Amino acid sequence: MKFQKTLLGAAIAGTLASGSMAGEVEVLHWWTSGGEAAAIAVLRDMVEEEGHTWTDFSVAGGAGENAMTVLRARAVSGNPPASAQIKGLEIQEWGDLGFLASLDDVAAANGWDDFLPEEVASVMKYNGEYVAVPVNVHRVNWMWINPEVLASAGASVPTTLDELWETADQLQEAGYTAIAHGGQAWQDATIFESLVLATGGPELYSRAFVDHDEDALTSDAMREAFTHLRRVTEYLDQGAPGRDWDQATSMVIRGEAGMQFMGDWAKGEFTAAGLTAGEDYLCVAFPGTEGTFTHNVDSLAMFEQRTEANREAQQTMARLVLSSDFQETFNQNKGSIPVRLDHDMSTFDECAQASMETFLATSQSGEGLVPSMAHGMSTTSSIQGAIYDVVTAYFNSTSMTEDQAVNRLAAAVRAAR
């Protein structure tokens, strides 16, 4: 009897396999660094194992700005890819334009609502229907440290902003680049939002970057954040302007620089270099932001497809993204944490475990979990761009005052709303 059931199961599986149609998924993304490329290759292999074709459409640079330019051109011409790396409120913008396909059937069949955090699930939906699948959760307010460099300079790991500048002075005096940075608008904004979180706390951060409250945008805490941002420039090397973020991470890996302020995708570069968290490098909360979590959720939005085969391939990919196997392998390569609340973290390193612990704590308490402005989670692309312009102009100026900066920031946000 058992043998007959086995044969029946095999026959059913064969029937399902023969009934499915091989389709193609073209995926537009900007996962191009070493750790990121290894991570997305996992999904490609899983899709191909299901019998579908994966067409990789990677566009490097600009934290997705270049990719979005290409996507808009493709969509306007009537030929969007099957899926694109889109996140935050931009998902709603594409939904308003009528380009996105529903994933409600695959979501219901696989119980997405049972294991996704509500604050994540809501962003993936348009008019109550899933149109995108979350890939991971990134913590943005991280600081990455080469412990050998700090020890060589006689410096300690900073936990406050005052301590940060003491450590930076010691590193600089010892002949190291204190802060590894790439002078690009999104990288400047990444540091700035952590400074705002450190000086004003999560409440003021949300008032400024989610509610766009003018009093918060022109507050003393915002002025103080700009003051600290100007100080960052004193500890950069001459090659910083235009440098990509992963090249800055490599400076920390090679021992040329002591610290980098970057989201946990940087950990993917340390992993790709064969380094061990807690030994070869340290991950600590950006000074003054311990116990808070600035989140950035990568997601793949699905665009309407013309053929049933391609729609089936698209739905298959969406199912695979939230499978435990993919969440495990992808996030260990990428440096992020699984988006599934039920995922076993025992095989992850101490940085990921600390990240998940803070994510769960802030999710459950409702305090300290804030969406990243710099990475498109807290506001629209137009307001984000307006903030970028002011922050980068200040970062590269020696004459703009803090008062001028906050007034320009408030005016820019007001004009972009």
Side-chain angles (χ1 to χ4, degrees):
M1 188 66 177
K2 183 177 180 180
F3 178 67
Q4 289 177 330
K5 288 183 177 179
T6 302
L7 287 177
L8 178 61
I12 292 173
T15 300
L16 291 173
S18 62
S20 66
M21 293 176 285
E24 176 190 13
V25 283
E26 183 183 19
V27 183
L28 173 63
H29 64 89
W30 59 90
W31 289 311
T32 56
S33 74
E36 292 175 324
I40 194 61
V42 174
L43 183 58
R44 178 200 65 207
D45 293 344
M46 293 178 75
V47 167
E48 291 178 346
E49 286 173 7
E50 294 270 348
H52 300 293
T53 300
W54 171 288
T55 300
D56 198 78
F57 188 6
S58 58
V59 180
E65 294 175 27
N66 297 341
M68 289 302 98
T69 299
V70 173
L71 178 59
R72 292 185 191 99
R74 287 281 302 271
V76 168
S77 68
N79 183 35
S83 180
Q85 185 183 352
I86 304 174
K87 56 190 176 182
L89 296 183
E90 283 200 36
I91 294 172
Q92 308 305 308
E93 294 174 6
W94 283 100
D96 286 339
L97 294 172
F99 283 105
L100 302 184
S102 175
L103 295 174
D104 263 11
D105 287 346
V106 68
N110 292 277
W112 289 5
D113 284 336
D114 295 334
F115 55 74
L116 287 179
E118 172 56 31
E119 59 267 28
V120 173
S122 62
V123 177
M124 300 299 119
K125 296 177 181 178
Y126 177 74
N127 285 343
E129 289 190 57
Y130 280 100
V131 292
V133 55
V135 178
N136 57 6
V137 177
H138 281 296
R139 187 183 189 186
V140 181
N141 58 313
W142 276 122
M143 176 170 60
W144 306 92
I145 291 174
N146 185 314
E148 290 188 1
V149 171
L150 255 65
S152 174
S156 301
V157 175
T159 59
T160 67
L161 289 176
D162 287 342
E163 291 176 0
L164 172 62
W165 307 129
E166 292 175 10
T167 296
D169 284 337
Q170 290 173 296
L171 288 167
Q172 196 170 69
E173 289 168 6
Y176 296 102
T177 297
I179 300 170
H181 181 62
Q184 298 171 340
W186 72 269
Q187 294 190 61
D188 300 342
T190 296
I191 296 179
F192 182 66
E193 72 174 15
S194 289
L195 287 168
V196 173
L197 188 59
T199 59
E203 182 181 353
L204 182 129
Y205 178 102
S206 295
R207 285 174 54 208
F209 296 141
V210 178
D211 302 330
H212 311 125
D213 178 79
E214 190 149 332
D215 287 340
L217 291 168
T218 57
S219 64
D220 289 341
M222 192 67 69
R223 286 183 177 82
E224 186 181 354
F226 274 110
T227 299
H228 286 292
L229 184 65
R230 174 67 51 73
R231 191 155 187 188
V232 169
T233 64
E234 300 173 13
Y235 300 101
L236 309 183
D237 67 304
Q238 292 184 345
R243 176 186 289 137
D244 288 333
W245 70 268
D246 53 327
Q247 295 173 349
T249 306
S250 293
M251 293 174 63
V252 179
I253 291 173
R254 293 192 301 265
E256 299 169 8
M259 304 177 289
Q260 182 187 19
F261 312 137
M262 187 55 60
D264 57 16
W265 48 91
K267 183 161 70 76
E269 300 305 298
F270 289 99
T271 301
L275 304 182
T276 301
E279 297 178 11
D280 303 313
Y281 65 96
L282 305 178
C283 54
V284 296
F286 184 89
T289 69
E290 179 70 29
T292 62
F293 194 110
T294 313
H295 69 83
N296 171 27
V297 179
D298 284 324
S299 53
L300 292 170
M302 303 300 170
F303 285 72
E304 290 283 1
Q305 294 296 285
R306 296 175 180 175
T307 70
E308 184 59 34
N310 285 357
R311 281 191 288 272
E312 185 170 328
Q314 185 183 64
Q315 299 274 318
T316 296
M317 185 178 75
R319 168 175 58 81
L320 291 171
V321 166
L322 283 175
S323 67
S324 294
D325 287 346
F326 175 74
Q327 287 286 306
E328 176 92 6
T329 308
F330 178 88
N331 286 292
Q332 287 192 345
N333 278 294
K334 185 72 162 62
S336 46
I337 57 175
V339 71
R340 295 183 61 129
L341 292 176
D342 61 352
H343 197 86
D344 179 9
M345 295 294 293
S346 61
T347 62
F348 282 77
D349 62 36
E350 62 180 54
C351 294
Q353 291 185 16
S355 184
M356 180 62 87
E357 182 180 345
T358 306
F359 178 61
L360 291 175
T362 54
S363 296
Q364 292 164 1
S365 70
E367 299 178 359
L369 181 65
V370 294
S372 171
M373 171 277 295
H375 297 274
M377 298 302 299
S378 74
T379 190
T380 63
S381 56
S382 59
I383 294 178
Q384 180 197 50
I387 296 172
Y388 274 16
D389 289 345
V390 175
V391 169
T392 292
Y394 177 85
F395 193 76
N396 293 301
S397 170
T398 57
S399 59
M400 188 188 302
T401 67
E402 288 82 358
D403 283 342
Q404 290 174 326
V406 296
N407 290 330
R408 290 186 188 185
L409 182 65
V413 170
R414 191 186 318 123
R417 295 182 72 170

